[in-house]
Structure formats: C-alpha cells, structure tokens
Amino acid sequence: MRGTVARALWSVVWVALGSAAALGSAAALGGAAAMAGESGGTASLRARPPEREVIYFMLPDRFENGDPSNDRGGLAGDRLRTGFDPASKGFYNGGDLAGLISRLDYIQGLGATAIWLGPIYKNKPVQGGAGEESAGYHGYWITDFTTVDPHFGTEADLRRLIDALRVRGMKIYLDIITNHTADVIAYRECPTSDCAYRPRADYPYSRRGGLNGVPINEGFAGDGPRHQTAANFAKLTRPDFAYTPVVPRGEEKIKVPAWLNDPIWYHNRGNTTFSGESNDMGDFVGLDDLMTENPRVVQGFIDIFGGWIDRFGVDGFRIDTAKHVNEEFWRAFTPAMIERAKQRGIPNFHIFGEVYTDSPADVSLLARYTRSAGLPTVLDFAFAAAVRETVAGGAGTEVLARLFADDVLYEGGTATALRSPTFISNHDFGRFAHLVFKKNPAVTRDEALQRVKLAHAMLLTLRGVPTLYSGDEQGFVGQGGDQSARQPLFASQVDEYRAQPILGTNATHAQSHFNADHPLYALIARLSKLRTQHPALHAGRQETRRYTEGKPGIFAVSRFDPMDGREYVIAFNTSAAPIVSAVQVETNSLEFTALDGNCESRASAPGSLKMSLPAFGFAVCAARSAK
C-alpha cells in the first residue's frame, strides 16, 4: 500500500514540476521517497533474482532532454569544444538524467523492471582527427571514472533517479568500462593514433622499440598469468617498449583517478586487429588500452567501481568490451564486486559481460567467459544472431534448437542461461527492424512489423532476461549500426534520422516518441506483464518440442512452472504462411488455456497438442493443471 501511494505521489510531483529548474526543490522529496522504499520496496527488489527482470537499455543522450541548460556540459565554444550539436548523429543531442526521470512512467508502463543505463561517467567531449571528430555522447570515452558527465547532469540527479526507481520497485544497472579510457596518449612514432599493432614477440618488454633496441625493464618476467604479481610489475618501469607514449600538453592530469594519467598502466602497442593477442592488448581506434594484467590496474578498478556500489547501491553492471580484457582480470574483479555488493545489502547483484559474436552457433565463445573468465553471465549475442537468422532471415528453426541445446556449455548450465540477458537489437550492430529490411529488400512495412513483433515475442517468452533497446518499442528502424542506430526518442534535428522510416505509425523522427498506443509498445507491455505474472516464463525450465530443418516454420518449446511443474507451450511461426502442426506435450497436460494467441482447449491425445499459427504468429498456452 505504501509503495502504491509513493508511486502515485512521485508521478504527481514530476508532472507538476515538469522543468529542470524544479529538480533541486524535488531533492528532499526524492530522498524521503527512497528512505520509505528502503524499508519495503527496496528490500523486495533486492530479493528478486536476475531472471525476474525485464531490462530497458538506453543511452542517456538519446532518450529525453529534461534540462537544456546542461546540453553543452558547462563548456563554452562551438561543437568541437562542447561536443553538443543536436543536428549531428555523432555529437551530443541533449538527453540527460532529468529527462530519464521525467519518463519513468513510460518505461515502467512498458513492463520494464530494470534500467541498464549507458555509461554516465565524464567523457572527453570530442576526439578524432581533423574532419573526423565526434563526441563522447555514448559515454565510452571516459576521462573521469568517478563522477557523472555534466552533459547528463550531476551526481544529485543520479541519486534522484535511483530514488525514483526504488519507489517504483525498479533496479538500475550501470554500464562500466575497464578495457580503455578516452584517447589521450599519443605515440611519437605515429601521432595521428593510426598505429599498427606491435606484438610482444617483435617488440618485447625487455627492449626499447624492437628486438634491436636498448635493453629496458630489467628483470621483468612478462605479463603471463604466472607473472601477474605486484613484485614482477614493479620491474616494468619503461612504457616505451613498442611505441613511445606521449601525453599532449594540457592533458597531463585529465584522467581521474590520478594514477590513470601515467602511461605505464597501458599496453601502448597500437591499434587492435581484433584477433590474436591484439584482441586483449590493442587500442580501439586509438583509445588508451589499459594493462589489465597489472595488479595495480586490477585493484584500481575494484576501487573505482566498488565505489559506485558503495555510494549509489546500484543493482548490477553491464561490462563493456569484456572480450578484450584478459581473463585473469575478471577472475579477480568479479568476485570483488559481488562481495562489495553483498556488504551493501545487494545479494542478487547482476553482472553481465559483452562478449561479441555474430554467430548463433558460437555459444562456446560466450560460455568460455563464464567458465575460464568467471563472469556470472554474458549478453546472449548468440540468441540475437539466431533470431536474426530465423525471423529476419530464412533459416530453419533448427538454429534456435541448436542454440538452446548448447545452454549446457555455460558454467552452471541452464541456470546460467536462464539469467543471461537476451536481446534482438543494440546500439552497436543495429536494430532488428533494419536487419529485416536488409535481409528482405522487398519486404512490405506490414510484414516487417509482423516479423519485429514475432522477434519480440521470442525475446519476452523464451529463456533468458529480455533486454529491450530504447526506440524499438516505437518502431524505430535505423539504417545500420553504431551512430545510425542511436536515434533519440525526443524530436530529432538529425537529417538522417528524420529521413528514416518508422514501423507501426505515420509519425517521423521530427516528433517526440513516447506513444503508449504504438502497436509494438502495446505488445511488449502485454508480454512483459505475462512474463512477470507466470514464473514458468521467467524461471521455468525450457524444453524444445518441435522445429523445422532448413526452412522457416514452427518452433515450439515447453516451459515448466518451477513450483508445481505446470506446463506452458509456446509456439512461433517464422514463415509467411499459416501452419497447423502437432506439438509434443506432457501426457498429463490435457486441457489448455490461451494466454496469448490461439490455443486448443484440449490436447489432441495424451502427449500431443495441435497448434494453429498465422503467418509470423505465436501463441502461449498454459496447461490448466499439472496432475
């Protein structure tokens, strides 16, 4: 009862205030609401395991602009100094934490129970060579790991956001980066940051600038797992083994904490090729790649991100570029974060790493990071690829069957797969709707919308933690990955965005998009509610029942209530024609209720249920009892 009143009060307050100028006066109320939530709502959400959540992910710059006074981050000058240009997709467009707070009703109405917030730490406003500049609007070019970027607001704004989420019973996951910082360090040999990777064999730590160079770092035994000790790394005193690092004048103290300003803590080997040893040790297009093998760097990041847990009581971390950090780092960092969270009273701290793959068959890569690197879960890129191939493309649904059969490869097996975040779109490779058009150039908008709906139905009813990408619920399409998939929900001034189509509406990106009546928003809200109400759909064991070989068609699974064993049959049709198919069920599942879509009320025979699905349709059927 208290939570209901508090939520209503919070909504009234924000509608009444309505402006950034009122944020300060709302602080006291926000703090009081959070204190009330700590005794009820917060304790309840802390008890929820990760698989109970529905995650909503956004880049704060591309969600809502609640305070135009912070658009330039407190900086003066043109866009190359402030990073702000609302007409450019590669610069700050104006979204902030105040805007996010003002739209929490919209997010909660979608059925989301947790927000994954894109990086909010202070970034280098602009970087890149002449004519190739862009801004750190996305948050991945950090200079100060300890505070909020002023383009997004203040730490007080972050506290108000967390207070508001607690009142609503919602969690917050922060996006964190340990692989690199902003591009500050230059190399004397190639000052434009376009530096080829120099391997350890050709440029060992023991020589300056190559095999024929002057001996340096005497006694340093290398960076291998057996040598990652403080005593060994104390002998690494020269960072110029491959390139000669140079910090530009005026940027010698730009990074926080201060220890990050010393080039000795970085690999300094040039740009990654995304293969071989450069995968862990190379710079991302010039971004300063940290030497995460060094115990000082490990402890430094334990202190940094442990501090965010201590100060703000966040509920989890999404780890950027986890694939590009050595596994020993994660085996030290992860348990330290989990222990820090437990000390803060957060027993279900959710950590999920980004381990990129574009293959639905590459579960072994993802699983490796749960086994040898010790990450609790990883983002399920293989799920995204499988849905892309079967729903956007024309692959047979055996691709999905193979994906789920490989759940046993994860450390912890199917239990780990159950709490691994699944998704179909993201801010890097693009939106699912774009992939539909890319794979089917002649597809109609109506069919594209049906395919996107089907993909979301899979996301919200199959195993894993569904992760929604901001804007998908409004039918955003985009034109590719990266900047072309990062449209704001507020009215855009970017010409490319304004020219992009949107599914399910006649609106354009020149308008604001917070429409709760959009057909995708309505579908997601309906299925999110279903998922939350039925434990089988968020915590239940999943068993594949039927699939097609080499062509679109049916994919069916059963999920089982973890308490009473009640069976739920979920079936999808990835083809453009209606299908009728028998699906195997438990012999004691004889009567069914339709939770979504059309379901036969009785089994055709003990062990068989007839499913009738329209083109790109789906159904969720619950057995009436588990006798």
Side-chain angles (χ1 to χ4, degrees), residues 110 521-531 595-597 618:
L110 189 62
Y521 184 102
L523 172 77
I524 293 168
R526 186 175 83 236
L527 292 179
S528 294
K529 183 177 180 181
L530 200 65
R531 183 181 187 278
L595 300 182
D596 207 294
F618 68 94

Side-chain angles (χ1 to χ4, degrees), residues 12-91:
V12 170
V13 168
W14 275 106
V15 170
L17 293 175
S19 70
L23 285 172
S25 62
L29 179 59
M35 290 173 63
E38 284 288 348
S39 63
T42 301
S44 176
L45 74 85
R46 296 290 198 217
R48 292 199 313 253
E51 57 267 29
R52 285 282 305 275
E53 312 305 334
V54 175
I55 303 171
Y56 187 81
F57 165 59
M58 93 286 290
L59 296 174
D61 180 65
R62 302 300 165 94
F63 186 66
E64 176 67 301
N65 190 347
D67 184 2
S69 71
N70 62 31
D71 287 352
R72 291 171 173 77
L75 302 170
D78 63 12
R79 72 175 197 159
L80 296 184
R81 291 187 59 83
T82 68
F84 177 66
D85 182 355
S88 172
K89 65 180 181 179
F91 283 75

Side-chain angles (χ1 to χ4, degrees), residues 7 55 560:
R7 282 193 293 274
I55 303 171
F560 298 90

